[in-house]
Each structure stands twice: as structure tokens, then as C-alpha cells.
């Protein structure tokens, strides 16, 4: 039997139908790329959001909205004296911001017609305007147009500088979008009109309307609004006060633009008459003063970035200022310069003169110049000695220093042997001051100077005891004011002090001198001012002070106080050249007395203003004549001829004979006049 072969297997057919979802695991594999796309899109959106947040933060820091409310030029500041007299005016003319809702329609329309016709329809950038300006600039005969919107101009004027780089334009566009997002159109327009420059140092529509037409902005006519809008193209060149024809021609272009924008009909435009000016000039700026220049930076800080003129009351006393200026005019200065600072013991500056003539030179020699204080610095040496336990009766050698590398000498090379500290201070002995600084330590001397308000660099060497480190006159005066006040430090100020919190008052409170130290240093200052080198300054009232004369008579200074007023007088040349015949006890002391006698209302010998050439006085110098009866000192000056026996110079070049031991009485010997009758020896003035 033949075997039956196996049947041939049939070709595989399609699988039997299955229920939905029972297919192979890879039946939905095609959805994976879509998920990846979603994830990528999410990352892109997150990155864009992060970038947006960074941009928002950057704009919030670099372009806060509050800045668009601030004037783009410093407001006008008027400085007033304490008694209500105008000292000086500084700054641009700025008035209060305008409100669009309070303006007649034709006022903002004039600006939009010439600057940004699509202002209310764009988002800060106007592509059509840019394209139109580009096309015009290609085919024009030289007259160019700009494509910046009002929003962009506000962004540039308030937040950016005027460079023309691509990065600046990009930032301008970003800030424009930022402003559009956070402000309404009216708010943007108000900020723009309130900040823009109209020429003649005038900023803002309200100030411009008053300046050019003596009108409020809500009373401007169409012609006046058109003229103001036309100024924005070139405010300095088109200012109608200097270029009326140019301003009117530009105003006519604005009026025609208003017609093209649909704000006016041609008939209305043709009926307009050119605007007529009614210029209201700002009050004339008072002649600048040294004090005004000194106090202005702080006054601006107090005024803040606000609209409108600000009146700042200062501490200046106009009566005392005039008296200080009068004392300068009466001084026999020749070609030399002079500076005066007068303050109350608490540092309130009431008068300041920084030179002979502000118009000739505005450089303030009272606050800006640093010169050697000479022997006025010895105040700190002797106060350091008193802190160390010494007294005015303690003795010190007024003899040549022969040891060490530094060997100072007294001015006239004369020495007095063993003398008291009171005598050494009164005659301003150089060698005694250096020996004293050696004993107490130069660092302790510097510490006293710092405590009393000297902030200038001070060299740590023995020559510092003689005032070789430069300071300015204001800080030197405030150091002496601390002695008058009995507390330190005293800070010179030209504006009334602002209220401080109780915490600040505790932290920054003054320190008091020990009563014994204060009594002793005042004793020395009285001795120097009444019977020592500064006797030419002595008043009838208690007078305290110290002279200073630097090497080769380059600087001559007197600093002192009386009657509740602390005053310093400096005389010197700007080029630091010598002044033969000048010393701290000479011209500065006499100028000090001339001013102070009037300032504190003390009757004194009146010094009339010199009517002869002041250069002649520069030749007046101390004359020492050797005679058979000893050294006779003859002082020649505007007060007459003073004759003294055993006259003696010091580092101040004007030391008198040694004062008698013991405390010096407070009141000085009174005015110096040429005697017409015999004068008792004890009342005779010492040689100058």
C-alpha cells in the first residue's frame, strides 16, 4: 500500500480579528515623537518665559517707571540767607507736570502731528513711520525725517544717553514696549510733554508756555501750541527769543502737518496768525558767591529730583557776609589773595569769602585750597600735652635742637631758654613745639587733630607740629570752633541740620573736653591773642586765637573766636610764592579784628577803605634796628608806628616780648591807634 504523503501547509493568512486594544505592544509606537515635540516646546516656552522675566527685572532696575516722572534736568534752586536774602539761583527752569485731560485738544495734536501721528495706534514702535522716514530720507534733498515715536523719545530722553549705537536703539525699543505695557497713552504723552526741552534752559510744556507766552498750558492757542511743538526739532537753534523767524517758519510746518493729520482744516490753518511772544524771563541769577558754590551740592540733594523751583534756606547771615566782604576790601592785600570763614561754635557757617573777587576767580580758597596752617596747628600739640597731664605752668626748653635729623629753628634764630608752656605758645616757639611733640608722641598730636575735625592727610613726622601738613581753612576753623563750643567734633555746615533719629543722635554725639583741658587750652589761646603774636587781633571783649605763618611767609593765618563767633583769615598767593612782610599777626590779625569788631557790634577804631594803591602796602614789613641800647623793633602798618624793646620774631615772624607768667586776662588791650599822649607801659601794644 502506498503511503499517503503529508499535506502541503497552506500559506499563512491574515491573523484573526481581535478585540480593540489586544494587539501587539508596539501598535502605538508612532506617538513617541509627538511627546518629544511637546517636551521641546515646553522647554522653549520655559526659556522664553525666563528670558522675559530677566528682561522685566532688568527694565525694572535700569528703567523704573518712576524715572519717567522725574525732570531730565536739575530743577531751579534758589539759595536764601538765614535772614531771607537771595544768595544765588542755579538750575534749569522747570514747572509742574501737565495733564492731557486738562489741555485743549489742539495742544497735544500739534505735537502728535509733527512728531508721531500714529501715537494712539502703535505699540511704541511705528513700522509705517520708520518706512515713511526711510523713503523720505532716500528721495529728499537733504531734509531728513526721524522715525522715532513719542514713546521712544521719552525712553531715550529719560532712560538713555544720546549715542547712536545699535545697542542703544535696541534698548530704546525694549523700553518703549515696557512703557506701553505699563502706562496708558495719555500717561506717556503727559510724561513726554512734561520733560521735553524747549530751549532757553526751559524744560516741560508748563514752564515753556509761561516763559514764551506768559500763559498756562490750558490757555495756549493753536499758533502758540504749533510754535512750541516746532521747537522740539532744534530747541537751541529755534528758540524764538533768539530766532523768531525760524521759530515761526517751523510753526507753519507744524500747522500744515495738523491739516494733513486731520486736526485742522485748510481754512482754519490759513486763518491763523503767527504767535506773538510775551517772554517772562526767570529772575536774574544773583551774582555767584563762594558760599553758594560750597553749599549748592548739598542743597541740590535736599531739593531732590522734583519739578519746579525750590527755595533752600541756608545758614548765611547777609549782614555778616557784607561785613566780611567789606573787611576784604579794606585789607592792604596788594596782589595777594584772601579767604575768610566765620561760623558759630556749633559749626553753623554765617559768612565765607573765598577770594578778593568772585568774578575774577571763582576758586574758593576757603573750602577748596589746601595750604599749610603753620603755627595754628600748635593748638593740637599743646592740647595733646594737656591730655598727657601737663599744665601751662610746666617748663620746656626754648633752645636750639642739636640732636636728631630734624633740627627746626625759631624764625629769628633767637631763643629764650627755659620757659613755661604758656609763654612758649604765646610767642609761638618752634623748638618748644617740636620738643613737646617729641614728649607726647606725634601720633597723639595727630589723634587730637582728628578728634577736632581735621580730615586732610597728616604726615607722621615732627615737622607736623609746625603745621607742614596741608589743610583747608574750613576744617581748621571747625577745629577751633570745638574749643569755643567745649565739645568735639564740630562739623561746618551751610544748611540747617536735618532732624536725626534718636539712634543717630546717640551714635554721632559729640564728646566733651575735660574741664581742666579746656580751661588750659583757652588760657593759652587768650595769652596768644591778647599778649602774644596775635595781639593785633585783640578786642575789648575776651579774645582767643592763634597766628600762623609758614616758611618764607607763603601763608599768613589768624584763627580765633570772640563774642560767640569763630573766624579764620588766610592771606597768601595762589602760586604759593612768598609774601615779604606778611605774617599771621599782621594783615590777617588786623582783618580779623576789623571784621569781628563789626560782627559782634563792638565799638572799635574804624578802618576806612583804602583809596591808595594796595601794592604799596606789600612793601611794609617789620623792621629791626640794632642800636647801642639793644634790639629795637619798629612795626610799620596802617595803624601807625609801634615801638618795642627786645622785640622778637618766631615761627610766625611776629612774636612779641614774653608775656608775664600766670593766666592772661580775657579782654584784650582794645583797638590799636597811634598814641597822642603818653601811654602806660602795660597798655602799649607789642611790636608787630
Amino acid at each position: 500500500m502506498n503511503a499517503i504523503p503529508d499535506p502541503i501547509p497552506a500559506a499563512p493568512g491574515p491573523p484573526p480579528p481581535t478585540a480593540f486594544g489586544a494587539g501587539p505592544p508596539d501598535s502605538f509606537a508612532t506617538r513617541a515623537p509627538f511627546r518629544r515635540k511637546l517636551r521641546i516646546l515646553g522647554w522653549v516656552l520655559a526659556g522664553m518665559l525666563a528670558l522675559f522675566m530677566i528682561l522685566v527685572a532688568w527694565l525694572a532696575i535700569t528703567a523704573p517707571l518712576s524715572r519717567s516722572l522725574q525732570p531730565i534736568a536739575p530743577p531751579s534752586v534758589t539759595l536764601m540767607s538765614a535772614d531771607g536774602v537771595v544768595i544765588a539761583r542755579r538750575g534749569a527752569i522747570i514747572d509742574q507736570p501737565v495733564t492731557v485731560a486738562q489741555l485743549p485738544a489742539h495742544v497735544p495734536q500739534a505735537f502728535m502731528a509733527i512728531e508721531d501721528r500714529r501715537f494712539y495706534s502703535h505699540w511704541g514702535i511705528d513700522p509705517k513711520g520708520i518706512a515713511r522716514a526711510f523713503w523720505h530720507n532716500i528721495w529728499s534733498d537733504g531734509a531728513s525725517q526721524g522715525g522715532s515715536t513719542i514713546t521712544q523719545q521719552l525712553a531715550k530722553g529719560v532712560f538713555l544717553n544720546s549715542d547712536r549705537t545699535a545697542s542703544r536703539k535696541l534698548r530704546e525699543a525694549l523700553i518703549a514696549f515696557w512703557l506701553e505695557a505699563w502706562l496708558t497713552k495719555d500717561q506717556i504723552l503727559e510724561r513726554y510733554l512734561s520733560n521735553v526741552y524747549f530751549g532757553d534752559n526751559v524744560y516741560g510744556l508748563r514752564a515753556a508756555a509761561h516763559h514764551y507766552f506768559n500763559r498756562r498750558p490750558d490757555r495756549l492757542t493753536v499758533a502758540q501750541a504749533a510754535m512750541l511743538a516746532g521747537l522740539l526739532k532744534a530747541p537751541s537753534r529755534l528758540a524764538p527769543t533768539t530766532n523768531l523767524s525760524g521759530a515761526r517758519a517751523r510753526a507753519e510746518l507744524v500747522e500744515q502737518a495738523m491739516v494733513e493729520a486731520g486736526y485742522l482744516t485748510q481754512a482754519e490753518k490759513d486763518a491763523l496768525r503767527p504767535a506773538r511772544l510775551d517772554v517772562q524771563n526767570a529772575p536774574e541769577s544773583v551774582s555767584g558767591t563762594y558760599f553758594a558754590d560750597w553749599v549748592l551740592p548739598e542743597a541740590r540733594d535736599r531739593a531732590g529730583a522734583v519739578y519746579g523751583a525750590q527755595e533752600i534756606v541756608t545758614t548765611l547771615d547777609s549782614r555778616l557776609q557784607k561785613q566780611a566782604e567789606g573787611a576784604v576790601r579794606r585789607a592792604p592785600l596788594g596782589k595777594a589773595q584772601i579767604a575768610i570763614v566765620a561760623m558759630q561754635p556749633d559749626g553753623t557757617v554765617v559768612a565765607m569769602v573765598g577770594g578778593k573777587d568772585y568774578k575774577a576767580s571763582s576758586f574758593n580758597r576757603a573750602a577748596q585750597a589746601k595750604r599749610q596752617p603753620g603755627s595754628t596747628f600748635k593748638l593740637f600739640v599743646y592740647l595733646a600735652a594737656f591730655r598727657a597731664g601737663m599744665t601751662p605752668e610746666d617748663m620746656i626748653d626754648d633752645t636750639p635742637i642739636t640732636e636728631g635729623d630734624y633740627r627746626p629753628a625759631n624764625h629769628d634764630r633767637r631763643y629764650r631758654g627755659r620757659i613755661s608752656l604758656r609763654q612758649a605758645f604765646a610767642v609761638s616757639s618752634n623748638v618748644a613745639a617740636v620738643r613737646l611733640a617729641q614728649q607726647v608722641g606725634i601720633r597723639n598730636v595727630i589723634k587730637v587733630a582728628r578728634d577736632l575735625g581735621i580730615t586732610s592727610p597728616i604726615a607722621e613726622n615732627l615737622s607736623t607740629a609746625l603745621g607742614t601738613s596741608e589743610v583747608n581753612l574750613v576744617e581748621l576753623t571747625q577745629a577751633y570752633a570745638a574749643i569755643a563750643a567745649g565739645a568735639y567734633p564740630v562739623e561746618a555746615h551751610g544748611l540747617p541740620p536735618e532732624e536725626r533719629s534718636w539712634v543717630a543722635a546717640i551714635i554721632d554725639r559729640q564728646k566733651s573736653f575735660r574741664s581742666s583741658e579746656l580751661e588750659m587750652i583757652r588760657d593759652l589761646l587768650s595769652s596768644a591773642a591778647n599778649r602774644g603774636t596775635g595781639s593785633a587781633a585783640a578786642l575789648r571783649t575776651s579774645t582767643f586765637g592763634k597766628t600762623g605763618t609758614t616758611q618764607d611767609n607763603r601763608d599768613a593765618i589768624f584763627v580765633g573766636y570772640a563774642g560767640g563767633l569763630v573766624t579764620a583769615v588766610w592771606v597768601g598767593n595762589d602760586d604759593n610764592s612768598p609774601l615779604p612782610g606778611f605774617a599771621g599777626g599782621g594783615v590777617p590779625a588786623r582783618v580779623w579784628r576789623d571784621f569781628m569788631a563789626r560782627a559782634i557790634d563792638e565799638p572799635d577804631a574804624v578802618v576806612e577803605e583804602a583809596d591808595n594803591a594796595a601794592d604799596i602796602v606789600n612793601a611794609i614789613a617789620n623792621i629791626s634796628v640794632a642800636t647801642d641800647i639793644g634790639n629795637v623793633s619798629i612795626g610799620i602798618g596802617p595803624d601807625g608806628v609801634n615801638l618795642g624793646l627786645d622785640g622778637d620774631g618766631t615761627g610766625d615772624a611776629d612774636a612779641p616780648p614774653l608775656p608775664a607768667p600766670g593766666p592772661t586776662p580775657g579782654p584784650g588791650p582794645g583797638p590799636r591807634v597811634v598814641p597822642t599822649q603818653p601811654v602806660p607801659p602795660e597798655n602799649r601794644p607789642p611790636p608787630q
Side-chain angles (χ1 to χ4, degrees):
M1 178 181 293
N2 293 331
I4 299 174
D6 294 333
I8 298 174
T18 59
F20 182 78
D26 61 347
S27 58
F28 292 97
T30 56
R31 293 182 179 271
F34 180 70
R35 291 176 178 172
R36 284 197 297 271
K37 290 178 180 179
L38 285 177
R39 285 197 298 269
I40 293 173
L41 180 60
W43 282 109
V44 171
L45 292 175
M48 293 177 64
L49 180 61
L51 182 62
F52 176 75
M53 296 301 294
I54 293 174
L55 177 61
V56 169
W58 173 71
L59 288 174
I61 295 173
T62 62
L65 288 176
S66 60
R67 284 184 57 183
S68 63
L69 288 171
Q70 298 171 357
I72 60 178
S76 173
V77 174
T78 300
L79 300 179
M80 310 289 293
S81 69
D83 49 343
V85 177
V86 175
I87 302 171
R89 292 186 181 94
R90 301 285 191 275
I93 302 171
I94 295 174
D95 212 326
Q96 297 298 316
V98 296
T99 302
V100 169
Q102 297 176 355
L103 298 175
H106 60 261
V107 173
Q109 287 171 352
F111 290 87
M112 290 187 293
I114 196 66
E115 295 292 329
D116 187 1
R117 296 182 191 177
R118 289 169 40 82
F119 172 69
Y120 277 98
S121 61
H122 62 64
W123 282 80
I125 304 295
D126 185 8
K128 289 185 179 180
I130 295 174
R132 183 181 65 250
F134 179 75
W135 183 260
H136 176 273
N137 294 342
I138 290 177
W139 296 104
S140 70
D141 57 357
S144 62
Q145 285 187 356
S148 294
T149 65
I150 285 177
T151 312
Q152 287 177 274
Q153 292 180 49
L154 176 63
K156 178 177 67 176
V158 175
F159 300 107
L160 302 171
N161 55 34
S162 59
D163 63 53
R164 299 189 177 185
T165 61
S167 62
R168 200 273 296 166
K169 294 297 290 183
L170 176 60
R171 284 180 290 151
E172 178 185 300
L174 290 174
I175 294 174
F177 285 129
W178 165 259
L179 293 173
E180 291 279 353
W182 290 97
L183 300 175
T184 67
K185 285 291 187 178
D186 283 355
Q187 288 174 329
I188 292 173
L189 188 57
E190 288 168 357
R191 285 160 165 77
Y192 173 73
L193 294 176
S194 299
N195 278 288
V196 74
Y197 182 49
F198 288 92
D200 266 10
N201 201 31
V202 176
Y203 290 80
L205 179 63
R206 189 180 301 276
H210 180 266
H211 175 67
Y212 290 118
F213 305 117
N214 192 24
R215 291 200 174 195
R216 300 196 311 264
D218 59 331
R219 301 293 302 275
L220 288 171
T221 66
V222 174
Q224 291 168 342
M227 178 175 283
L228 292 178
L231 298 181
L232 303 188
K233 179 179 177 63
S236 297
R237 178 171 59 85
L238 294 174
T241 49
T242 56
N243 185 9
L244 182 59
S245 60
R248 284 179 170 172
R250 178 68 177 170
E252 188 171 353
L253 290 177
V254 175
E255 293 165 1
Q256 188 60 45
M258 294 178 71
V259 173
E260 297 172 1
Y263 299 138
L264 291 178
T265 66
Q266 190 64 46
E268 289 173 332
K269 185 265 181 186
D270 293 341
L272 294 175
R273 302 183 64 181
R276 299 183 62 181
L277 299 182
D278 184 7
V279 178
Q280 301 297 306
N281 288 318
E284 287 295 323
S285 178
V286 177
S287 178
T289 65
Y290 297 103
F291 176 85
D293 291 344
W294 175 65
V295 81
L296 185 62
E298 185 180 357
R300 283 209 184 283
D301 289 343
R302 292 201 184 182
V306 295
Y307 287 92
Q310 301 290 304
E311 284 191 357
I312 305 295
V313 177
T314 70
T315 61
L316 192 79
D317 186 309
S318 62
R319 180 184 70 89
L320 297 180
Q321 179 67 26
K322 290 180 181 179
Q323 290 170 347
E325 293 169 355
V328 168
R329 289 192 298 270
R330 291 186 290 271
L333 297 172
K335 296 181 179 180
Q337 279 290 352
I338 189 171
I340 298 177
V341 177
M343 66 178 64
Q344 296 171 359
D346 65 353
T348 299
V349 177
V350 294
M352 177 181 288
V353 176
K356 289 190 299 186
D357 185 352
Y358 183 88
K359 292 182 179 179
S361 171
S362 62
F363 179 69
N364 191 339
R365 295 155 188 85
Q368 294 175 283
K370 287 194 173 185
R371 304 294 288 258
Q372 292 184 358
S375 292
T376 60
F377 197 88
K378 292 174 183 175
L379 169 77
F380 311 120
V381 177
Y382 283 79
L383 188 54
F386 297 153
R387 283 186 177 182
M390 302 180 73
T391 70
E393 285 72 30
D394 286 338
M395 306 299 289
I396 195 162
D397 289 333
D398 180 29
T399 57
I401 296 176
T402 59
E403 65 279 356
D405 296 330
Y406 181 56
R407 300 185 179 183
N410 289 343
H411 182 268
D412 59 355
R413 305 287 175 174
R414 297 187 69 244
Y415 304 89
R416 301 160 185 82
R418 192 79 170 164
I419 59 176
S420 69
L421 296 189
R422 180 183 294 105
Q423 293 171 324
F425 189 85
V427 299
S428 199
S429 167
N430 288 343
V431 293
V434 171
R435 281 198 165 91
L436 203 56
Q438 284 179 315
Q439 291 183 33
V440 301
I442 194 63
R443 290 187 178 180
N444 290 324
V445 173
I446 296 174
K447 174 66 165 56
V448 172
R450 296 293 185 217
D451 286 347
L452 269 61
I454 300 296
T455 58
S456 298
I458 303 176
E460 194 175 320
N461 54 55
L462 289 175
S463 68
T464 292
L466 304 184
T468 56
S469 294
E470 295 179 340
V471 301
N472 69 54
L473 199 64
V474 171
E475 60 183 333
L476 185 62
T477 311
Q478 68 188 15
Y480 276 73
I483 305 300
Y488 62 89
V490 169
E491 184 177 356
H493 54 273
L495 298 178
E498 294 182 299
E499 291 187 8
R500 299 187 301 168
S501 66
W502 64 270
V503 176
I506 293 176
I507 295 176
D508 299 332
R509 69 181 185 276
Q510 288 181 312
K511 299 179 180 178
S512 298
F513 293 97
R514 290 207 308 252
S515 58
S516 59
E517 293 175 5
L518 192 61
E519 181 181 354
M520 288 186 291
I521 198 65
R522 286 176 174 174
D523 175 15
L524 266 58
L525 290 171
S526 176
S527 177
N530 291 282
R531 301 180 64 184
T533 58
S535 57
L539 301 166
R540 288 190 174 92
T541 189
S542 298
T543 307
F544 305 83
K546 184 71 183 74
T547 58
T549 309
T550 62
Q551 188 175 11
D552 297 328
N553 301 80
R554 299 177 190 274
D555 302 276
I557 306 170
F558 185 85
V559 191
Y561 64 93
L565 197 60
V566 187
T567 300
V569 178
W570 167 88
V571 175
N573 287 325
D574 285 340
D575 61 2
N576 206 30
S577 58
L579 282 170
F582 278 75
V587 171
R590 290 193 291 271
V591 171
W592 189 93
R593 187 190 67 190
D594 181 20
F595 165 69
M596 289 290 289
R598 291 170 168 81
I600 64 175
D601 295 323
E602 178 181 275
D604 197 9
V606 176
V607 182
E608 300 295 336
E609 293 192 26
D611 55 2
N612 59 330
D615 286 337
I616 299 176
V617 186
N618 276 351
I620 299 177
N622 294 337
I623 304 174
S624 294
V625 181
T627 69
D628 293 338
I629 60 174
N631 195 38
V632 179
S633 175
I634 306 175
I636 307 175
D639 296 324
V641 179
N642 297 315
L643 177 65
L645 300 178
D646 294 327
D648 178 27
T650 71
D652 290 286
D654 44 27
L658 287 175
T664 304
R672 302 302 192 270
V673 296
V674 179
T676 57
Q677 57 184 358
V679 180
E682 63 272 14
N683 290 335
R684 292 176 185 169
Q688 304 300 309

